[in-house]
Amino acid sequence: MIASVRGVVAAIAPDSAVIEVGGVGLQVQCAPGTLANLKAGAEARLATSMVVREDSLTLYGFADDDEKHLFELLQTASGVGPRLAQAVLAVHQPETVRRAIAGGDLATLTRVPGIGKKGAERMVLELRDKIGALPAADGVPAGLLNGAWQDQVRQGVLALGWSAAQADQAVAAVAESIDGEVPPVPMLLRQAIRLLGKAR
């Protein structure tokens, strides 16, 4: 497999570039953001991932290895092929994609053309464990952002014997009380239990 290419940029098209390596011009499919950093006649290095099909060999190029690894990881989800994986990286930065998956942020994922709500839910379900917990910009694990903590608190409340309606009510009340940084889930769960205790 071709893991990377380095050479002179011979040509740039709307969705690809030709990198000349040892006298051979390699056509590399790239997202607009990657192409924007290339300059015809200048040397460039692209991390690459080769997709082998029965009737084609396609080389996809990325600004760095992080983008490449995420491109390959995205394709392990059902219904995600190389073109859709590249579309994800064309719309979002890798860190944004990881946070969206780890935090169950469907709105961010569905901004990508070709990904609907069901597709986004499937990506979260199948890739969340592979992505792992990520530190957020403010130091809060990404799993506590974008709705993931609500699910954990709701499940905790249900496990303690309250009804689904009561659990939803408590989660909504806790969410309204959060101002800025999201506290740890155990603290949020204790707050929900206190609210439910007062309601009894």
Side-chain angles (χ1 to χ4, degrees), residues 53-94:
R53 295 284 184 267
E54 194 174 317
D55 57 349
S56 67
L57 291 172
T58 307
L59 206 54
Y60 289 85
F62 310 92
D64 54 41
D65 290 327
D66 185 39
E67 280 190 12
K68 169 190 169 178
H69 292 149
L70 185 55
F71 170 80
E72 293 173 344
L73 178 65
L74 289 170
Q75 290 178 78
T76 65
S78 305
V80 179
R83 289 198 176 278
L84 189 55
Q86 189 176 51
V88 172
L89 292 170
V91 175
H92 299 300
Q93 293 295 318

Side-chain angles (χ1 to χ4, degrees), residues 4 14-15 20 22 27 34 48 54 62 71 78 98 104 109 113 117 125 127 130 144 148 157 159 174 179 200:
S4 66
D15 60 354
E20 196 166 294
Q27 184 174 30
T34 303
T48 56
E54 194 174 317
F62 310 92
F71 170 80
S78 305
R98 287 196 175 92
L109 295 173
K117 185 181 178 185
L125 183 67
L127 299 179
K130 297 178 183 177
L144 302 186
V157 170
V174 171
D179 183 20
R200 276 183 169 171

Side-chain angles (χ1 to χ4, degrees), residues 35-173:
L35 292 171
N37 293 320
L38 301 180
K39 185 178 178 182
E43 185 173 274
R45 178 199 180 271
L46 294 175
T48 56
S49 179
M50 181 177 280
V51 176
V52 180
R53 295 284 184 267
E54 194 174 317
D55 57 349
S56 67
L57 291 172
T58 307
L59 206 54
Y60 289 85
F62 310 92
D64 54 41
D65 290 327
D66 185 39
E67 280 190 12
K68 169 190 169 178
H69 292 149
L70 185 55
F71 170 80
E72 293 173 344
L73 178 65
L74 289 170
Q75 290 178 78
T76 65
S78 305
V80 179
R83 289 198 176 278
L84 189 55
Q86 189 176 51
V88 172
L89 292 170
V91 175
H92 299 300
Q93 293 295 318
E95 186 178 343
T96 302
V97 177
R98 287 196 175 92
R99 293 196 193 290
I101 292 171
D105 184 358
L106 303 183
T108 294
L109 295 173
T110 53
R111 287 193 196 110
V112 178
I115 297 181
K117 185 181 178 185
K118 286 187 178 178
E121 288 172 344
R122 191 165 55 242
M123 286 175 67
V124 169
L125 183 67
E126 296 181 15
L127 299 179
R128 179 181 272 166
D129 290 343
K130 297 178 183 177
I131 290 287
L134 301 172
D138 58 3
V140 181
L144 302 186
L145 303 175
N146 300 323
W149 70 263
Q150 285 101 321
D151 293 335
Q152 295 175 47
V153 170
R154 187 176 187 276
Q155 291 302 320
V157 170
L158 291 172
L160 292 169
W162 276 281
S163 70
Q166 288 173 313
D168 290 337
Q169 187 179 358
V171 167

